[in-house]
Amino acid sequence: MKHLNSVIEKYVELTPRSREIWESAKQYLPGGDSRNSIFWDPYPIYIKSARGPIVTDVDDMQRVDFINTMTTMILGHAFSPVMDAVSSQLKNGVAYNAPNSHQIQLAKILCERVPSFDRVRFTNSGTEATMNTIRAARAFTGRTLFAKAEGGYHGTHDAVSVSVKVKVEHAGGSDSPVALPSTEGLPDEVLDQVIVFPFNDVEGARKILEQHKDQLAAVIIEPVLGSVGMVPATYEFLEMLRNFTWQHSIVLIFDEVISYRVTDGGSQKFFGVTPDMTSLGKIIGGGFPIGAFGGRKDIMDLYDPTGGLEMGKEPSVGPHVSHAGTFNANPVTMLAGSVTLDHLTDDIYESLAFNTEILRQGIRDVCAELEIPVQVTGIGSLFGIHFNDVPINNYRDIASSDTNIRRKVFLGLMNEGILIAPNLVGSLSTEIGSNEIKMFVEKFKLVLSKSGI
Ligand SMILES: Cc1ncc(COP(=O)(O)O)c(C=O)c1O
């Protein structure tokens, strides 16, 4: 506790202007912001600008960004080609009441790269994307239930706000997790529609899915459990889900809002397992609000408003699934997204993965030297740090982590000029090179040495 208090004291010393802004923000915004996932105790920093690998807060302190807007800014902040393209689009307006052609370019790139995409549609968030995958699966199968992994985060809509972060003591056995609300305000029926299964437990999950196989519209899964710790699924687990859903005509959905970072075709290309539908977000908008969902043509055709309309003939039925949104596929986001993806070549993915592995190993080496147990998770450019002595395979392995240690390390790194997520997950951008990685490892060692762990 003594060490934690001194870390907090230093944080408060370094961030007086953020504290002042936070105090006044609370008069208008509950908690002083609009995004609970970036609140941390005692208060968050307010950012004034960001460029390349650096974010600068309102106290003029610079930090190297190792989280990159919860994995979004894969090319770093204010990447010139994206900024230039957006600036030129701004002169032509930002949103129209008719389609724009930038979305076709982004759709083409995604359909060419993502193995499961025959067709794609755009939204303004990953939340809307996962909502649509589940809705489409229900419409396609005529069934209502869907299954998700314990600890899986799929955004903020009701259906998926179940068993995300739960108190393990209330959540049943590890091989038979109970569906628990992740927020107040959910109707009871929501819980009745979700089957929860353990992540990375092939037999345990199969047994649970088997009991509901005839009522399941979909199984939704993050191939890398993101917000709870960058924990990759095993190939065997994904393969089981693919075979099981195929056999029982259940729609398999990969939520790749985070894991699309792993290769140009997402983690589905990395694992060689192709789902029926996929939701995307974050990196594909170049820093602007976005989500996308796509998949098999026969499922995505449910969204076609022409319903097979032929010019000059009576319109037939369609769409079967409604999908609107004032800012969907707005030209600014679409252009920012396609310019970003144009820069994400195979070489870039390889070097991101290479650098991230150097960082992971650096973290392991520091902990080995200081004799602190650690598990460093993640694939591609994603990483998670867990001060555990057993391998991390699922939510429950993480739930037992000591939150005080996490706080000490997170705030300690903040004080030393490094920004990651409060639960010690991060992701690299192309702006992070060997100097920044070296700095992270040195600062990490310094923070741990002073932490009293
Ligand atoms: C795996 C996953 N799915 C969905 C979402 C929701 O995306 P958004 O925050 O854009 O609504 C997130 C956000 O972090 C996510 O990590």
Side-chain angles (χ1 to χ4, degrees):
M1 206 57 192
K2 185 175 92 221
H3 293 98
L4 179 57
N5 287 342
S6 66
V7 174
I8 293 173
E9 267 165 35
K10 181 160 183 205
Y11 178 80
V12 171
E13 214 175 280
L14 289 170
T15 56
R17 182 81 187 112
S18 279
R19 184 181 190 169
E20 209 178 304
I21 293 179
W22 180 67
E23 293 292 353
S24 74
K26 285 189 293 178
Q27 295 173 57
Y28 312 106
L29 296 152
D33 188 34
S34 301
R35 195 176 155 208
N36 284 349
S37 51
I38 51 168
F39 175 79
W40 54 78
D41 203 29
Y43 52 85
I45 50 165
Y46 285 74
I47 307 275
K48 154 167 112 172
S49 65
R51 180 163 290 274
I54 303 291
V55 289
T56 306
D57 72 12
V58 289
D59 290 287
D60 283 327
M61 178 158 178
Q62 298 197 329
R63 293 181 180 81
V64 183
D65 196 353
F66 279 85
I67 179 60
N68 288 295
T69 321
M70 200 53 208
T71 75
T72 303
M73 308 307 302
I74 192 165
L75 297 170
H77 294 280
F79 182 66
S80 301
V82 172
M83 294 300 110
D84 293 346
V86 166
S87 302
S88 71
Q89 174 58 38
L90 291 181
K91 296 183 196 114
N92 296 322
V94 295
Y96 318 130
N97 217 51
N100 69 83
S101 53
H102 294 315
Q103 70 176 315
I104 306 168
Q105 181 56 16
L106 185 55
K108 179 170 182 286
I109 299 172
L110 290 172
C111 287
E112 284 169 0
R113 293 186 184 182
V114 181
S116 61
F117 274 14
D118 295 332
R119 298 286 187 274
V120 60
R121 271 205 167 201
F122 295 105
T123 63
N124 297 297
S125 65
T127 290
E128 292 163 79
T130 64
M131 187 180 77
N132 272 285
T133 55
I134 292 169
R135 182 182 284 173
R138 285 173 164 162
F140 189 72
T141 60
R143 303 170 185 165
T144 303
L145 300 192
F146 75 94
K148 73 176 284 291
E150 189 173 52
Y153 177 69
H154 304 291
T156 58
H157 59 101
D158 280 4
V160 293
S161 298
V162 174
S163 295
V164 181
K165 282 182 184 145
V166 292
K167 289 211 164 66
V168 169
E169 58 273 25
H170 299 144
S174 60
D175 56 353
S176 52
V178 175
L180 291 174
S182 289
T183 173
E184 293 186 15
L186 287 187
D188 290 344
E189 307 84 83
V190 166
L191 296 180
D192 301 337
Q193 292 167 1
V194 186
I195 306 303
V196 180
F197 58 86
F199 190 77
N200 269 344
D201 176 351
V202 173
E203 280 321 308
R206 194 206 320 261
K207 226 157 102 191
I208 291 170
L209 295 175
E210 187 73 42
Q211 287 163 23
H212 304 279
K213 60 181 190 297
D214 298 326
Q215 295 104 49
L216 283 173
V219 171
I220 186 167
I221 187 88
E222 285 175 276
V224 181
L225 269 189
S227 58
V228 300
M230 302 304 175
V231 182
T234 60
Y235 170 74
E236 292 70 27
F237 187 64
L238 295 178
E239 187 194 32
M240 180 281 287
L241 293 179
R242 178 63 286 182
N243 291 340
F244 185 89
T245 50
W246 186 256
Q247 203 181 349
H248 299 291
S249 304
I250 298 163
V251 176
L252 180 63
I253 303 165
F254 279 6
D255 180 356
E256 297 232 46
V257 168
I258 282 184
S259 62
Y260 182 56
R261 245 182 181 267
V262 170
T263 74
D264 67 339
S267 66
Q268 54 198 265
K269 182 169 165 186
F270 177 88
F271 286 110
V273 177
T274 305
D276 302 300
M277 294 198 84
T278 302
S279 53
L280 302 179
K282 301 207 192 281
I283 70 166
I284 65 161
F288 291 81
I290 196 163
F293 62 97
R296 277 166 42 184
K297 180 176 180 304
D298 54 352
I299 304 177
M300 291 302 290
D301 276 349
L302 293 169
Y303 286 84
D304 184 350
T306 66
L309 177 73
E310 276 181 59
M311 208 104 74
K313 295 210 172 140
E314 279 294 301
S316 56
V317 283
H320 294 271
V321 180
S322 84
H323 179 226
T326 306
F327 299 108
N328 287 359
N330 71 78
V332 175
T333 304
M334 295 297 105
L335 188 56
S338 63
V339 173
T340 298
L341 293 192
D342 278 343
H343 283 81
L344 291 175
T345 57
D346 284 346
D347 290 351
I348 295 281
Y349 282 102
E350 263 173 44
S351 102
L352 281 167
F354 181 79
N355 285 342
T356 311
E357 187 46 34
I358 292 178
L359 176 66
R360 286 190 209 102
Q361 195 51 45
I363 295 168
R364 287 187 194 107
D365 291 347
V366 165
C367 289
E369 196 185 326
L370 300 177
E371 298 183 6
I372 296 173
V374 75
Q375 307 293 322
V376 189
T377 53
I379 52 174
S381 53
L382 302 166
F383 68 94
I385 307 170
H386 311 276
F387 294 105
N388 292 38
D389 47 15
V390 290
I392 306 285
N393 289 311
N394 57 40
Y395 172 74
R396 296 205 183 197
D397 293 335
I398 291 162
S400 59
S401 298
D402 183 333
T403 47
N404 265 342
I405 296 180
R406 278 204 295 232
R407 272 186 80 201
K408 259 191 271 189
V409 174
F410 166 68
L411 290 176
L413 288 172
M414 289 285 282
N415 292 346
E416 295 298 332
I418 286 177
L419 181 66
I420 57 172
N423 62 347
L424 308 187
V425 303
S427 67
L428 262 56
S429 75
T430 50
E431 292 287 324
I432 303 279
S434 50
N435 287 341
E436 288 79 14
I437 292 171
K438 196 161 159 260
M439 173 194 167
F440 186 107
V441 172
E442 281 168 11
K443 300 291 186 189
F444 182 69
K445 184 172 174 187
L446 184 72
V447 168
L448 285 191
S449 309
K450 290 200 287 189
S451 70
I453 300 174

